[in-house]
């Protein structure tokens, strides 16, 4: 028989010097800074609370692959810096929002420290990256504490279509904290689960197609998938420079925006894309768009088909209806029942050309990435395929195969077929999503769940997903807002105002 067990609350408080208690359950970055500035909490204490929570929950959830042996030292350093800053200004305004804040990184985001960067695979264990990823350099400069590495779908699920969501050889099967049988989605599963279960303040994920939006949706957290190029991909294990993007997964829109502000910007190591997208970054950053009245005057296009179908008969349908009314009450105009041209082609990765392009792009970009590693037993995709053949038990080769790897290895650069596929996707975007947005003069496209991710992925467009409720079995669902390139300011206004009006997220309870 199944019993419902609440989160273990005994380990998640600190008794502070002045007698008040700080709890990490649902603590936001603003809550934490208030506690820091009120001397109720140190960064070191905060790290200890999260490490205790990880120790308690990770045996069940398997969402954290490694904790950083230097996290406590980094936190103590942040505490010293805060003490110095406080001598000049009690509220430490000179320190950024992420100063002293623990962050978990998806295991494909390179760190040059004691942590491994492996995409969940044993093949890269023990190898050393040349330098921190571009986004990690920015996080360290902002004073964030690197708490550890999060689990993911091994190799983003690109090893084979049989790789289960949330599974990697090093971490095993990660679990949805709301519904054990519910599925975690992927590939940034560990990042989403860990913030959902209050094992860390904030996290980073990566997305090529759905990998931020989908696990955020299914684990009841906020995911921001930035416009491709807004955040640097340098030092991150790649799939496709055309589609890859790095973004925050957090419990609130505000926290996610603070992280976004810290990681966006030009990086000479991802020169072309970050230069092109840097024109989108507003002076003063993104936090100015955390506006409770952000829905006023916005035009939101609702695309129901085929995204609503899989929710037929569930409580997500009445919830969706209710949310549309809330959006209207807050001043948005809902343009309902819109359709995206060729949506069936877009959602079919073979027909759309996406799979053809990704398989060729992956081989090229992964081989480039691997060249820069030292102490690595694998230097190419071919080496990884051989590694898996030589380590079939730990890599579960029989169960999950490596068919997509083999198909990718079989490609030879961007040829005629790939160029055609890439043009096909550009055309699908132009006459599909872009046309929908422009014809209807929309600020955002609104869909339930995350199945619209492919529409946005193939064009490099941004999206934000926000928790929107729970089905009767406890399974979370979200609503995602997608927009044209560089429309993050509007998407933030919309998603923040929606979140403030609905406040659907709650921390998980576990089914044991
Ligand atoms: C990284 O992997 C090596 C094994 O090669 C292991 O000894 C080490 O503890 C790992 N690092 C962390 C922080 O877990
Ligand atoms: C879901 O419901 C809609 C209308 O209520 C219907 O058109 C559609 O076929 C249904 N889809 C599935 C998968 O049952
Ligand atoms: C390898 O590519 C060739 C054409 O380039 C194709 O005919 C063959 O089926 C591919 N093999 C695999 C295993 O994908
Ligand atoms: C692009 O899409 C439009 C509309 O669907 C179609 O008419 C046109 O033939 C397509 N062009 C190419 C090159 O695929
Ligand atoms: C859409 O998402 C749901 C739940 O995440 C899934 O069960 C369903 O298969 C998806 N449908 C399509 C058409 O991709």
């Amino acid at each position: 028989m199944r019993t419902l067990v609440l989160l273990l609350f005994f380990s998640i408080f600190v008794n502070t010097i002045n007698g008040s208690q700080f709890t990490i359950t649902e603590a936001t970055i603003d809550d934490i800074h208030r506690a820091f500035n009120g001397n109720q909490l140190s960064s070191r204490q905060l790290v200890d609370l999260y490490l205790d929570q990880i120790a308690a929950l990770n045996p069940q959830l398997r969402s954290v692959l490694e904790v950083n042996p230097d996290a406590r030292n980094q936190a103590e350093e942040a505490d010293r810096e805060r003490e110095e800053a406080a001598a000049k200004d009690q509220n430490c305004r000179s320190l950024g929002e992420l100063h002293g804040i623990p962050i978990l990184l998806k295991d494909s985001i390179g760190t040059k420290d004691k942590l491994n960067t492996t995409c969940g695979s044993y093949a890269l264990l023990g190898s050393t990256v040349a330098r921190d990823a571009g986004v990690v350099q920015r996080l360290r400069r902002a004073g964030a504490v690197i708490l550890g590495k999060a689990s993911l779908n091994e190799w983003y699920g690109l090893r084979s279509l049989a790789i289960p969501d949330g599974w990697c050889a090093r971490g095993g099967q990660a679990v949805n904290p709301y519904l054990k049988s519910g599925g975690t989605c992927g590939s940034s599963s560990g990042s989403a689960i860990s913030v959902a279960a209050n094992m860390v303040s904030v996290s980073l994920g990566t997305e090529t197609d759905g990998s931020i939006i989908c696990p955020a949706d299914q684990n009841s957290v906020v995911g921001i998938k930035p416009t491709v190029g807004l955040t640097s991909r340098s030092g991150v294990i790649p799939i496709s420079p055309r589609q890859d993007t790095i973004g925050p997964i957090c419990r609130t829109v505000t926290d996610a925006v603070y992280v976004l502000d810290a990681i966006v910007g030009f990086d000479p190591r991802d020169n072309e894309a970050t230069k092109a997208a840097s024109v989108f970054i507003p002076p003063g950053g993104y936090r100015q768009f955390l506006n409770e009245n952000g829905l006023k005057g916005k035009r939101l296009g609702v695309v129901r088909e085929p995204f609503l179908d899989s929710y037929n008969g569930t409580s997500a349908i009445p919830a969706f209806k209710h949310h549309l009314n809330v959006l209207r009450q807050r001043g948005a105009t809902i343009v309902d029942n819109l359709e995206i041209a060729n949506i069936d082609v877009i959602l079919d990765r073979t027909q759309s050309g996406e799979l053809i392009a990704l398989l060729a792009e992956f081989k090229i970009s992964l081989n480039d990435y691997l060249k820069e590693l030292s102490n690595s037993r694998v230097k190419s995709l071919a080496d990884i395929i051989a590694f898996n053949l030589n380590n079939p038990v730990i890599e579960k080769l029989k169960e999950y195969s490596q068919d997509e790897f083999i198909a990718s290895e079989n490609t030879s650069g961007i040829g005629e077929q790939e160029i055609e596929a890439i043009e096909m996707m550009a055309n699908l975007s132009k006459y599909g999503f872009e046309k929908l947005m422009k014809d209807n003069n929309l600020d955002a496209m609104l869909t339930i769940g995350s199945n619209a991710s492919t529409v946005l992925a193939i064009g490099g467009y941004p999206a934000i997903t926000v928790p929107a409720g729970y089905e009767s079995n406890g399974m979370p669902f979200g609503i995602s807002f997608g927009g044209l390139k560089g429309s993050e300011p509007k998407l933030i206004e919309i998603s923040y105002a929606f979140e403030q009006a609905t406040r659907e997220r709650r921390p998980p309870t576990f089914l044991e």
Side-chain angles (χ1 to χ4, degrees), residues 223-458:
I224 300 184
K225 180 222 173 202
T227 303
V228 169
L230 201 63
T231 51
S232 167
R233 291 81 52 82
S234 81
V236 179
I237 296 174
I239 296 179
S240 157
R242 203 177 35 75
Q243 288 186 209
D244 294 351
T245 184
I246 319 300
I249 300 180
C250 302
R251 286 180 293 271
T252 66
V253 175
T254 303
D255 283 358
V257 167
Y258 289 164
V259 175
L260 185 70
D261 268 333
I263 61 172
V264 295
F266 174 70
D267 179 354
R269 294 187 186 280
D270 187 6
N271 187 48
E272 211 176 307
T274 57
K275 197 177 196 174
S278 63
V279 303
F280 296 131
I281 302 172
Y286 289 101
R287 57 154 60 195
Q288 61 189 298
F289 304 106
L290 296 167
N291 170 9
E292 257 183 80
N293 297 317
L295 283 163
K296 208 165 256 166
K298 296 290 194 302
R299 286 176 62 84
L300 307 179
V302 178
V303 178
R304 291 173 182 262
E305 288 304 317
F307 306 118
L308 222 57
D309 285 358
S310 59
Y311 296 94
N312 265 8
T314 75
S315 54
I317 300 295
F320 189 61
K321 193 173 167 193
H322 169 75
H323 291 325
L324 291 183
N325 282 330
V326 172
L327 292 166
R328 284 188 195 97
Q329 282 157 15
R330 299 284 166 137
T333 300
I334 302 292
V335 189
D336 208 344
N337 293 310
L338 296 178
E339 282 173 18
I340 299 171
N342 300 310
I343 187 68
D344 295 343
V345 179
I346 292 171
L347 296 183
D348 180 328
R349 289 183 186 184
T350 305
Q351 277 194 57
S352 72
E354 190 186 17
L355 198 57
I356 292 166
L358 290 183
L359 288 175
E361 290 165 337
F362 177 63
K363 180 181 174 183
I364 300 166
S365 21
L366 183 71
N367 285 344
D368 277 350
Y369 172 89
L370 294 172
K371 265 185 219 142
E372 287 219 85
L373 300 181
S374 18
N375 310 317
S376 182
R377 60 188 129 212
V378 292
K379 285 285 191 180
S380 66
L381 176 57
D383 289 349
I384 297 170
I385 291 171
F387 176 89
N388 290 339
L389 288 170
N390 291 330
N391 297 274
V393 176
I394 55 171
E395 285 291 340
K396 289 207 176 192
L397 191 60
K398 217 191 223 164
E399 292 88 334
Y400 302 144
S401 84
Q402 53 179 345
D403 293 351
E404 300 295 313
F405 267 8
I406 291 165
S408 178
E409 180 57 23
N410 192 34
T411 63
S412 43
I414 305 296
E416 227 171 87
Q417 199 193 2
E418 286 76 19
I419 290 170
E420 201 178 294
I422 290 165
E423 282 174 356
M424 172 83 168
M425 284 185 278
N427 200 37
L428 287 169
S429 294
K430 185 175 170 195
Y431 293 99
F433 182 63
E434 297 237 354
K435 189 166 189 306
L436 173 94
M437 295 294 290
K438 286 173 182 162
D439 283 359
N440 296 287
N441 193 21
L442 299 178
D443 296 297
M445 172 183 78
L446 190 169
T447 52
I448 189 167
S450 63
N451 285 350
S453 68
T454 301
V455 174
L456 305 165
I458 62 172

